[in-house]
Amino acid sequence: MEAPAGGVDDMTKLSYLHEPGVLQNLKIRYELNEIYTYTGNILIAINPFQRLPHLYDAHMMQQYKGAPFGELSPHVFAVADVAYRAMINEGKSNSILVSGESGAGKTETTKMLMRYLAFLGGRVATEGRTVEQQVLESNPVLEAFGNAKTVRNNNSSRFGKFVEIQFDKQGRISGAAIRTYLLERSRVCQISDPERNYHCFYLLCAAPQEEIEKYKLGNPKSFHYLNQSNCYELVGVSDAHDYLATRRAMDIVGISGKEQDAIFRVVAAILHLGNIEFTKGKEIDSSVPKDEKSKFHLNMTAELLMCDPRALEDALCKRVMITPEEVIKRSLDPLGATVSRDGLAKTIYSRLFDWLVDKINVSIGQDPNSKSLIGVLDIYGFESFKANSFEQFCINFTNEKLQQHFNQHVFKMEQEEYTKEAIDWSYIEFVDNQDVLDLIEKKPGGIVALLDEACMFPKSTHETFANKLYQTFKNHKRFIKPKLSRTDFTIAHYAGEVLYQSDQFLDKNKDYVVPEHQDLLSASKCSFVAGLFPLLPEETTKSSKFSSIGSRFKLQLQQLMETLSSTEPHYIRCVKPNNLLKPAIFENVNIMQQLRCGGVLEAIRISCAGYPTRRAFFEFINRFGVLAPEIVEGNHDEKVICGKILEKKGLKGFQIGKTKVFLRAGQMAELDARRAEVLSNAAKTIQHRIRTHNARKQFIALRKATIHVQSLWRGRLACKFFESMKREAGAVKIQKNIRRYQARKGYSKLRVSGLVLQTGLRAMAARKEFRFRKQTKAAIIMQTRWRCHRASSYYKKLKRASIVSQCRWRGRIARRELRKLKMAARETGALKEAKDKLEKHVEELTWRLQLEKRLRTDLEEAKTQEITKLQNSLQSMQIKIDETSALLVKEREAARKAIEEAPPVIKEKQVIVEDTKRIDSLTGEVESLKASLHLEEQRADNSERRYAEAQESIEEKQKKLQETEGKVHQLLESLSRLEEKLTNLESENQVLRQQAVSVSMAPNKFLSGRSKSIVQRSAEGGHIVGDPKPALDMHSHSIIQRDHPEVEEKPQKSLNEKQQENQELLIRCIAQHLGFAGNRPIAACIIYKCLLQWRSFEVERTSVFDRIIQTIGNAIETQDNNDVLAYWLSNASTLLLLLQRTLKASGAAGMAPQRRRSSSATLFGRMTQSFRGTPQGVNLSFVNGGLNGGVDTLRQVEAKYPALLFKQQLTAYVEKIYGMIRDNLKKEISPLLGLCIQAPRISRASLVKGSSRSLANSAAQQALIAHWQGIVKSLGNFLNTLKANHVPPFLVRKVFTQIFSFINVQLFNSLLLRRECCSFSNGEYVKAGLAELEHWCYKATDEYAGSAWDELKHIRQAIGFLVIHQKPKKTLDEISHDLCPVLSIQQLYRISTMYWDDKYGTHSVSSEVISNMRVLMTEDSNNAVSNSFLLDDDSSIPFSVDDISKSMEQIDILDIEPPPLIHENSGFSFLLPRAD
């Protein structure tokens, strides 16, 4: 198989599974920032040396949660998820082994594993911090005391760490523990250049000045344990800053300040202890402190450890030997004293480190009842330096153990795979390294045993130890003796040969605790130091039993392997790409050595020993079906097809399992070569046909061009001949035209001269006539304007005076009438009188209305007659004018004829005299006619003016008539309301009188002030919530005076009880499904009308709002019933709309009672005031509970706090119900989305079998879009539910917009995370599914779908990019601006590198485009947002109350029929629709 442009995510899929192929694949993926790669179930993690935050955010963790291993791109989260699922499903503990050399990123990988496990296992917090946080917060402390600078890493962990994360039965994290292994104790006393000792020593030397003076410290160069190397500081690291950070971390972990002082006191004591030097004493083989400097450090050590200086000196320089007879004290020589000093320092530091680990475990907290755990092992990897000492020997021994465990696990996985597929694997050999382990740890002849034996003899040296090794292992194949050294030895490890220098093996291995040291420190006055060295049992104190680091190392390693063996292991191999610790540098040799040390190549070797290449049946047929198309087109099973293809090509040794084809090494390459040959022959055939087509096409084009050239030349010759003929004809025509022009020019000059003379004479006469007419017209206009002005001024004065007179007279009459009404309204009987008067007034107004109509009719008839007369006279005058004009024309014609027929000159004078007289007489007659015409025109103007004035008066009378009709209508309505109120008053008075009679015999204690206070509070409150009419009656002064005894004797039971009953009935009513009236929810309209009728919005305190909210909350408790949720969403949004358009916040809450007290004292006065106070644009909608008009006519109510709080709670419920409906749909389609991003494999495989099977193909096509049709069906059902419950279209659009955005995010993120989805055929599959969604949006219409289709822009553009052809020809500008303008560079880069064409075998974009994308990403690498290529789902509420109010249509709530439960109740009579 050709390697894809972005490499393969699992290297077992490589056709050539060898070291160069593995290295090339890792390099390609590392250049694409794909730092994780699988090798089977092993994860290889290459340190990028840069931040990649998009790989580890919460969204990425959510993507890998529960995903099958290998389905998404390789990631550390996938390994953690597999371990967690295995622990939950199988109940067995799991472990994750993270290994690699210093600087490979083991610690960071461990942190990511713990983060993901905390994400999966919940967040059980202790004192506000999660277990994961507590473990991570302990890292600075452990790093300070357990990390040091080595040759390859500035912060290398010199101990192994096994973090046990404990889980309860529900899979939640219940505790954790940190187990440390194999601390490098010898580093305390011995370091090599350019390494450093443990960080804590340098941190303490860089502490604040008071700390340094307190412990008598100084520069690190002045201490023996630190100045063995020339490296004292790290580049870019501040020891002073790290000291403060370590102290803060200790505070967080729970180490008190007193304990911290004791810890650093011990660290300072170790530094001073190392500066104690010894020299020979006075006695033989004795030793004493060398000089005053050594004595000073001895005293400081004793002071810091709080022990006796003399006892400390004796413990370092002397030994006590206990015999049956006596106790013998012997002295040590200077060398022995130095060894004793270093042993004490290593013991103290080791005990201190163990105490820190125990303290951290106590702080984190462990779960003793936990039966399952996930362990994360972070341990140093294989080491091979130029100089390798005892530390490298122990580390490599550990890695040999782990490698054996790794090999056994890999072989076990191979065995399980072959067994599952029923493959014969009996001949496969297992590569074991047990011989190396026997060489190191076997008893009694292993290297560790020989080293312990040498350490037990005082006279042994490293030379004798090396000779013993040479003699014992001279024939061992894994042990090699160097030729040029007498003390070195070489061991052939699994990762290569390592040369060890045995110079310091004996010194570094000695680890026994001297009884004198134990006694000295256990007696310390410092409780912390004494706690590090507790008293030992008596049997152990009698004899100093030998102990070595090697034996303890082997014991701890055995415990670690037992722990790992009891768990299911998972492996992560961390790789450091370069020693410069910089990004984008890939050193092949270095990485190959690390892969070899990490056992990756060993795992590949095991895989190659069996069947390294495995392909599923459908993948194999999809790729190699072209080798035998006749077999594929036949009706065979997939397994049979695979076997026949391999047999046809003559391959041997392969095996066919249940679901996969297993090929031996190299067979996949052979199949690829034959496939390439078939494709090459097919390409040659296509090229042959295309070249033939191109040659014929070129010949036809050449022939066509030749014919075209010939026709052009023939046409050119014809044009030339035609041009000569045209020129000759043109010359003749020009001559003719010039001659004609000259003749016409002479004639024109003569004609123009005559016209000029005529024009001048005629102009003179015309100007004279014009001046005369102009003067006459000006005089007429001036006269007209003056007469008009005079008449208009007189009319305006007269009109103004009449209006003023009418207003004053009407005002006088109205005031007189008002006084009469006020006087009459003081008694209840005045209502009947007012009724009679109003009836009389109505009759009078009716009579006046009829009179006005009759007068208007008469006036219109008179005006019509007058207008007719004026029109007749105007027509007669017009006839006379026409006759006069005709006569004048005849006279002029006769005069003209007479002049023409006159005799010669002799009689000419007489004729002129006669004609002049006749002309004068005619002129006079014309002037008289003009004068009469002018008079007639003036009369016509006057008639028109009078007609206009009459028309205006008629319009004014019509307006008055309309106003009178409106007043009559209002008076009739007022009369009917007054009748109703009168009836209510009478019934109320009768009830009060009956109650007064029934209570009149009761004792006087019932006439207490409590009854009065109730009535008084009801009166002063301005309303009673249940029924406003009794409250109005209580304000009536006359009624209070008349019925004062009855009111005072009113019982404790008030109208509030009736109100409570009405509220209870309303709540029971709305708890039922009331349905809809048209598209209006009945429940919302009933609630609104009741609250408005009861004036609940203006009440300071009421419980009706809380009960309504509680009813809604109880109804939506079942979140799965979308029908119920949609019903209440419709009701809640409608009620919220009505409240939004009705309620307004009260400007001053204290003004309301004052306004009520200052209102009119009587019932009739308050009603008339309400009539007068009603705004002009608002109908009287709420008088007597009636609702006239729709939403636009709702009056604004000043709402009190409970009403405003109710509105806010209702808003919250609208948002909550909306979110529940949206989330329910998300849950319903989420399982289908996971199936919609990738085409079903069965269908894809069946499509490969040829186009001849049309029935099978059609069935496969149906199967391809089955999941998409499931989503469309869910969307359709959901839309029908919303429509059935009349949810406002605005909210429906918002729901589907967010749902489509969710589909876009899920599909797009899955596409970017799964390489198998970025294929050409899969793009066609998703494109077909998106077409289904587009068709659904079209059927749903814009009213409900809105802009939902636009939310799929990311996945649409990404799929469009996958299915376009000729991708290598596309430039970056075309891709980013034309094809995919919405996608970022990171997203385009990932799609381009993950794309593979499984249908036509084409390539992705060109390498130049990939390089340009990489440059752009490097420029944006500092921006954390731009690095994230995944989309986030928006779960916010995308609307506000104002948006709902603006978008929803008006609602008419007048004709809503109340439900049967309250229909017959008299307390809800206001809900009944009123007849017009």
Side-chain angles (χ1 to χ4, degrees), residues 754-773:
L755 290 175
V756 168
L757 291 176
Q758 293 175 1
T759 302
L761 294 175
R762 289 172 184 164
M764 257 170 139
R767 280 195 293 271
K768 184 176 180 181
E769 180 67 22
F770 175 72
R771 278 195 299 271
F772 173 74
R773 291 185 179 181

Side-chain angles (χ1 to χ4, degrees), residues 174-187:
S174 58
I178 299 176
R179 317 288 183 204
T180 56
Y181 298 94
L182 319 174
L183 177 69
E184 189 180 341
R185 303 171 62 186
S186 60
R187 182 173 289 270

Side-chain angles (χ1 to χ4, degrees), residues 306-357:
M306 293 188 181
C307 60
D308 183 34
R310 187 63 188 171
L312 176 61
E313 182 179 350
D314 291 343
L316 294 177
C317 299
K318 296 180 180 180
R319 288 289 179 272
V320 176
M321 301 180 63
I322 301 176
T323 62
E325 294 82 11
E326 60 179 344
V327 177
I328 303 174
K329 183 180 292 188
R330 70 180 184 85
S331 300
L332 299 177
D333 58 4
L335 180 60
T338 302
V339 172
S340 176
R341 177 201 68 188
D342 293 343
L344 177 60
K346 291 187 289 185
T347 302
I348 293 174
Y349 194 81
S350 175
R351 298 284 181 91
L352 175 63
F353 186 79
D354 292 340
W355 182 90
L356 284 171
V357 174

